[in-house]
Structure formats: C-alpha cells, structure tokens
Amino acid sequence: MYVYREPKGHREGLAHRFIDSFKRDPNARVVVRGTVRADGKVFDLEDAFEATASSPLARSLRGRHLQMIAIGGCIGTGLFIASGRALAVAGPGSLVIAFGLIGIMLFCTVHALGEMAVLFPVAGSFSAYSTRFLDPAWGFAMGWNYALQWLALLPLELVAASITANYWLDGRVSSALWISLYLFIIFAINMLGVKAYGEAEFVFSSIKIVAIIAFIITGIIINVGGGPQGGYIGGAYWNDPTAFKNGFKGLCSVFVTAALAFVGTEMVGLCAAETKYPRQSIPTAVRQTFWRITLFYIVSLTIVGLLVKSDDPALLKGGGTDPAASPFVIAIKNAGIKGLDSVFNAVIMFVVLGVGNSAVYGSSRTMAALAEQHQGPRALAYIDRMGRPIVAILVSLVVGLLGYVATTSADALSWFAALSGLSGIFTWGSICLAHIRFRKAWREQGHSLDELAFRSSSGVIGSWLGFGFNMLILLAQLWVAIAPLGYQQMSTSKRLTNFFQAYLAFPIILLFYIPYKFYYKTPFIRCADMNLYTGILEINLTQILAEERAQRARWPKWKQWYHHVC
C-alpha cells in the first residue's frame, strides 16, 4: 500500500514538515455517495472493496508488534478486575469453565479471521468481510457495533485508571486530574502514528505477560503454604463455599464477563491493513492465541480460584472498575505479602492504559474504514500523510471525555459497560459466518485450499463451532437478562433496567441494520457474486506455499502438530 513520503533533495524545516504531515494523503479516496450502477443499487460494492483495499494507512507494524498484540493486547480489566465479580457470582468452577468455553470458541474465530486477513489485508477487516461475504447492511451494522464497543470502553478504562492511581492516595487527588493525564498519554501515542501504537502495545503487553507469569508462580507457592500467612490451601476453596454457585444460571451469567475479558483478541485482524509483512506476521500472531488462552486466562484464573474464596466481600467492590476488587490483588493481600499488592496494582494501571490505547486505535480505524466506504460521515475518512485517520482519532478522544461524567455517576458506568457487553459476541459470530461463506465461495469459484496463504487450523468445522457457540451465548444471556439472579425480589423498573443493560447491543445493532437495509436495498451476497480478487495479497503464492509445505513435510510429527496449533 502506498504511503506518502517527502521527496528526496531539499527538505523543509521541522515545523513545516510537522504541519504538512496533517494534510490529507494525496492517494486517499472515498466512495462517492449516490453512485448508481447498472444493477440500480445505490451502494456500490466494487467501489467499497477498492476503497478498503487501497486505504493509505501506513504499513508500519512488524512481526514483533503483532505477536505482542496477539499475546497480551486484549488482557485488561476484564481479566484483572471484573473476573472478581464473576468469581463471587458463579464460583471458581463456573469461572474457569466459562472462560475455557469462550477461549475454545475464540481459538476457532481468530484462526478463521487470520485466514481471511492474510488473503485480504484490507482496512476495516471483519466489518469489511461482513460487507463482502454476507451483506453490506450487516457489514455497516457490525462496523458501527465494533466502533461503539471501543468508544464505550474508553471512558470505562479511564475511570478504572483514575481509581487505580488513587489506590495509594486514598482519593486525595481528583479523579479528573488522572483522567486528563491518561487522555493526554493516549492522545500522544496515537498522534505519533501506528508504529508508536505498536511499540506502546509491545511494552504494555510485555508488562502484562511478566506480571501474569509472576502471579502464577507466586500463587502456586502461596497455595502450597509458602506465603507469610496461612498454610497449605490446596483445593479447599472449591469446596468451601462451593465450586459452582447459583447453578447453571451462575455459569451463564459469567459468559458476558468472559467475553468482555477477551475483547481485543480480534485486533490482530484489524492490524492487517497496517502490517508491513502480513503473510509472515499474521499467521505467527494468530497461533499465539493458544498460549494466551491457556496460560494467561485458564491457568491464572484456576490459581485465583484456589487462593480467593468466592464469598470474600472484597470481590464486590467498585462495580468492576476498582482494583481493590481484583482477585489477583486480593490473593496477594490475603497471603500477607507486603508491598506486592501495590506492585500488582501498578501493573493494572499499565494494563488499563494499554486497553485505552487499543480503544482509540480500534474505534478510529473502524470508523475510518466505514467512512471510506461511505458507511459513515465523510470527514472520518480523512487520513493524513503519516497514515493517521486523524479525524477519527480525535472523535475517539472526544468521546473519552465522557470519563469525567462517569466518575460522578455509577449509572453512567453501567450503561457504558452495557454498550460494550455483548458487542464482541456479535463481532465474533459474524467473523465465523463470513469465513464459512468465504470458504464456500472460494470452492464454488474454482479455487482449492492449497491456494490459501494461511489456512485456519480448525477449518470450516471450527467456524461452525464458533458461530453456533456464539448463538448459544446470546440465548443464555437473553435468559439471564429476562430472569436475572434474584429477579423475584426486583421491581419491574429494576428488571427492565437490568434487561437493557444486559442486552443493549442487540437493539442497537438492529437500529443500524434495518434502516440501512431498507434504504440502500442491499443484497445478501451470493457465493457466485462474491469478489475474491480486489485487495487480495499479491505475491507468488503457489511457489512460496509449495516450498514451505515441502520444508514442513521434513519436520518430525511433534513439530508439525505444534506449528499447526501454536
């Protein structure tokens, strides 16, 4: 992808070049509204495909950036803080099972996304794939659903960051001051371009990885009686009070918390349009999901369930944003290890900052891609000469100012969380369905799987599994939304509020999808009509793949299996 560069020879001064960098990239293009094709449709699919394929976003992300984004990019308050409330509601057994099931589903989903992203490293990624392989109206709804998810998460993370900073100061410093500081840092990172985002994520993810590995080791030592306080614990807290609180409904109530904790796993696909070598970098990054799910979620939460009783009152503090309610912090405090809880709180502060940074990146790139296809305000498609979607970044940061409101209103926090709660489930389900439709079109149009630059380890079966499980989660969440735990004691207004906070993403998606569908009369894309050429990765795949497969055939069996899965 071409990115504007200063011509060699005479160079203007630094100030002039800085100002000049904000000018629109001369290669930027936007679908013209109202273009009517021979088929009479107002929305021009071919122009939309061309716009996302030729986006002037800078391809500056390298393999190490993508690998760290894949390993630690999505780890945030969902794992470190919100998992505490899930433990209190459902117990340690249900907590591990729910996260494990979501993890299996996401393993299939991310591999499906990786297959499409390597072949079509276009702007907008999964929302663009929904437009290309399903229905432009659904792509429009999924794009704005994803953008709103990150826009809603940004104020939440800023509030969590301010609370985290006040862990040591007992509220002596205004939360607004901390929010201002974090917003400035996030603004600076994103204004430095996508390479700065990649470097920041590399640092943040490294901190998360070191912290979780250290916690796992420390947790094992504490559990066998090596801590300053208490003796051998073993599996006692899985029996007292119980491993499975509130039965099957308790398990179902954890699914949304688990989904929120995994939000960002799909960011690898979104980064494809800004990756320098997508053919090499994306497959490696996609395979890292196995280790992230296994080590950082399942193992760490199993340790948490062994160290923290599910009836510990500290787990219910702060409504999911207070680090004092983090089961990781509680486990360390209960063991009597002085000072280590503060260290882990500092880790959470960096974690929150990283998620806020990802929120601006994810929302701005999605909005810019939507605008390039004329599925959003045209101004959002403005991409400057450094490859920054500058207007979309500014819009994201302006929405972040709502964090000031959220610090004074618990209701505002709840509604922000509601906006982002189920959004990921719809996104992941759409990725799986798009992959299923893509594979069918690929076969019907005369292609073989040997032509794919990267092939999903779980194949179409994995995509059907992922899609089906996403639908089951939506049904389970609908049940929990209609009849939540303790609903017999709730008033009608409380139950209505609970329902919309649990299921708000669904009506919002319908509000985007149905009007767009009827206004533009968009078609459901038939396999024979799918465009499998615009934006495709243009390399000599046949020769490269043949050489790679011949090399892998000489590997021992264990190495072949490891490469296939990990």
Side-chain angles (χ1 to χ4, degrees), residues 119-348:
L119 196 62
F120 301 102
V122 299
S125 189
F126 28 84
S127 65
Y129 301 147
S130 291
T131 296
R132 183 180 290 227
F133 303 129
L134 300 176
D135 175 6
W138 189 249
F140 170 78
M142 285 300 95
W144 282 107
N145 165 66
Y146 192 71
L148 286 175
Q149 169 189 291
W150 283 117
L151 289 173
L153 272 175
L154 180 57
L156 270 177
E157 298 300 325
L158 290 171
V159 171
S162 67
I163 297 173
T164 304
N166 275 317
Y167 181 84
W168 301 283
L169 301 172
D170 297 324
R172 292 193 298 271
V173 177
S174 169
S175 294
L177 181 63
W178 290 115
I179 288 175
S180 301
L181 176 62
Y182 283 120
L183 264 178
F184 175 78
I185 294 172
I186 292 170
F187 173 77
I189 291 171
N190 281 272
M191 291 306 292
L192 289 172
V194 68
K195 191 171 183 179
Y197 164 77
E199 295 295 350
E201 284 300 305
F202 186 87
V203 173
F204 294 144
S205 295
S206 300
I207 293 171
K208 296 175 195 177
I209 291 166
V210 171
I212 291 178
I213 292 174
F215 174 81
I216 290 171
I217 295 170
T218 304
I220 293 171
I221 294 170
I222 293 170
N223 185 260
V224 298
Q229 294 180 10
Y232 176 79
I233 300 172
Y237 297 161
W238 282 56
N239 296 313
D240 178 23
T242 179
F244 302 96
K245 294 175 70 174
N246 297 307
F248 183 65
K249 186 174 284 188
L251 172 66
C252 291
S253 67
V254 177
F255 280 135
V256 171
T257 302
L260 193 61
F262 278 104
V263 162
T265 306
E266 70 292 327
M267 193 71 80
V268 172
L270 195 64
C271 291
E274 296 179 87
T275 301
K276 192 165 187 176
Y277 304 111
R279 167 70 185 88
Q280 293 86 5
S281 302
I282 294 175
T284 304
V286 164
R287 293 188 185 103
Q288 302 299 327
T289 56
F290 176 84
W291 296 113
R292 177 177 59 213
I293 292 166
T294 304
L295 181 63
F296 301 140
Y297 285 90
I298 307 306
V299 175
S300 66
L301 289 175
T302 300
I303 298 295
V304 160
L306 292 172
L307 298 180
V308 182
K309 297 182 73 170
S310 59
D311 58 359
D312 192 316
L315 291 171
L316 298 174
K317 289 182 179 178
T321 57
D322 190 343
S326 166
F328 293 82
V329 173
I330 293 169
I332 293 168
K333 288 181 72 174
N334 289 350
I337 305 175
K338 294 182 179 179
L340 194 56
D341 58 324
S342 291
V343 172
F344 215 87
N345 189 71
V347 169
I348 293 175

Side-chain angles (χ1 to χ4, degrees), residues 1 29 47-56 59 121-123 132 273 372 533-536:
M1 204 66 62
R29 66 188 299 276
D47 267 3
F49 299 155
E50 185 61 37
T52 54
S54 59
S55 175
R59 288 192 178 274
V122 299
R132 183 180 290 227
E372 284 179 327
Y533 303 99
T534 305
I536 197 168

